[in-house]
């Protein structure tokens, strides 16, 4: 058998299928969300990105399509390092988890993610649009679909011990996030430096391994 790589996601990474021009447009949309929040319009995005509204509609369909692509583009910045399912060891599993944790903390602490989530929370249940559902499906739920294969590979290799991959993911997510996201959304100006984020990623991973690490080692040895 050839080497079996477990992909970080069953989904196509939006960062790989977007053109550079489309990335520029989505970055413009994110900046407008920071500046204007709820007032984001196709016209404003077209003006900021120096493109036509017709191009936006062609690429993204409508405002909800643009918002979906924007959320996917932001979420794509949280990478999950693929692991070799046949040669996985504790070091490579730890590196993959730490990388995910570090990327996620960088993304949620950015001005763009804070603004996007504030708008999504404000829209939830309001009937204005489906931004809350878009953020959940293409943010948190998409990240779970990316990381669960790594967790399951760790279990198959005898490095992790859990009965429910969703529960294991939620535990890891909680250890990484703690109260950081809610404090940021409420305006707390946390100092999340590169060093602090790196330390938090290591701490969360070690705590997760302490909870879910297999006590008998790989293959029960």
């Amino acid at each position: 058998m050839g080497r079996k790589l477990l992909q970080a996601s069953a989904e196509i990474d939006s960062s790989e299928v977007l053109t550079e021009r489309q990335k520029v447009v989505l970055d413009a949309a994110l900046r407008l969300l920071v500046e204007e929040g709820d007032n984001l319009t196709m016209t404003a995005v077209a003006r900021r990105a120096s493109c036509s509204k017709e191009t936006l509609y062609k690429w993204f369909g409508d405002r909800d399509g643009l918002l979906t692509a924007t959320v996917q583009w932001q979420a794509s910045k949280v990478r999950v390092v693929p692991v070799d399912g046949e040669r996985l060891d504790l070091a490579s599993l730890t590196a993959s988890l730490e990388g995910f944790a570090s990327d996620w903390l960088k993304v949620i602490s950015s001005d763009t993610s804070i603004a996007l989530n504030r708008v999504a929370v404000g829209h939830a249940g309001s009937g204005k649009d489906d931004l809350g559902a878009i953020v959940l499906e293409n943010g948190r739920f998409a990240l779970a679909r990316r990381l669960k294969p790594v967790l399951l590979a760790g279990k198959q290799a005898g490095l992790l011990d859990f009965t429910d991959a969703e529960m294991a993911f939620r535990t890891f997510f909680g250890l990484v996030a703690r109260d950081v996201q809610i404090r940021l959304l409420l305006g707390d100006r946390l100092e999340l430096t590169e060093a602090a984020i790196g330390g938090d990623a290591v701490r969360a991973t070690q705590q997760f391994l302490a909870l879910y690490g297999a006590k008998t080692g790989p293959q029960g040895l």
Side-chain angles (χ1 to χ4, degrees), residues 4-204:
K4 179 184 176 184
L5 287 180
L6 298 179
Q7 299 302 320
S9 173
E11 305 166 329
I12 296 175
D13 186 342
S14 64
S15 65
E16 295 178 355
V17 299
L18 291 169
T19 66
E20 290 305 312
R21 182 61 179 139
Q22 288 170 331
K23 292 176 185 178
V24 168
V25 170
L26 294 178
D27 281 335
L30 284 168
R31 289 194 298 274
L32 280 169
L33 277 169
V34 173
E35 297 169 13
E36 302 183 13
D38 218 8
N39 298 320
L40 181 74
T41 64
M42 299 292 269
T43 299
V45 174
R47 185 182 303 115
R48 174 64 63 90
S50 299
C51 68
S52 67
K53 285 174 61 178
E54 290 74 20
T55 297
L56 291 184
Y57 284 113
K58 178 182 177 181
W59 284 345
F60 306 113
D62 56 14
R63 185 175 183 273
D64 275 2
L66 174 63
L67 288 170
T68 299
T70 301
V71 175
Q72 290 174 338
W73 170 229
Q74 189 73 343
S76 73
K77 298 169 186 175
V78 183
R79 300 157 295 175
V80 181
V81 178
V83 295
D84 185 339
E86 295 177 352
R87 301 181 182 180
L88 183 62
D89 58 17
L90 184 58
S92 57
L93 175 63
T94 299
S96 185
L97 294 176
E98 287 179 357
F100 175 94
S102 178
D103 279 355
W104 191 68
L105 283 169
K106 289 175 185 176
V107 168
I108 66 167
S109 62
S110 68
D111 289 343
T112 48
S113 280
I114 294 169
L116 182 61
N117 280 288
R118 281 176 177 161
V119 175
V121 169
H123 281 205
S126 69
K128 290 183 179 179
D129 55 32
D130 296 323
L131 184 56
I134 289 170
V135 170
L136 273 176
E137 180 59 31
N138 297 283
R140 185 267 184 232
F141 294 156
L143 294 179
R145 291 191 292 270
R146 291 182 202 168
L147 191 64
K148 283 180 185 179
V150 173
L151 300 179
L152 290 169
K155 180 179 180 179
Q156 186 174 3
L159 300 169
L160 297 176
D161 183 15
F162 56 82
T163 57
D164 187 329
E166 171 64 17
M167 186 60 67
F169 172 80
R170 289 173 64 185
T171 299
F172 182 59
F173 217 55
L175 290 169
V176 175
R178 296 165 295 143
D179 63 348
V180 170
Q181 191 167 38
I182 187 63
R183 288 174 65 184
L184 290 169
L185 290 173
L186 292 174
D188 193 348
R189 304 188 67 83
L190 294 174
E191 291 294 330
L192 291 180
T193 63
E194 286 276 348
I197 286 174
D200 285 345
V202 170
R203 171 199 48 75

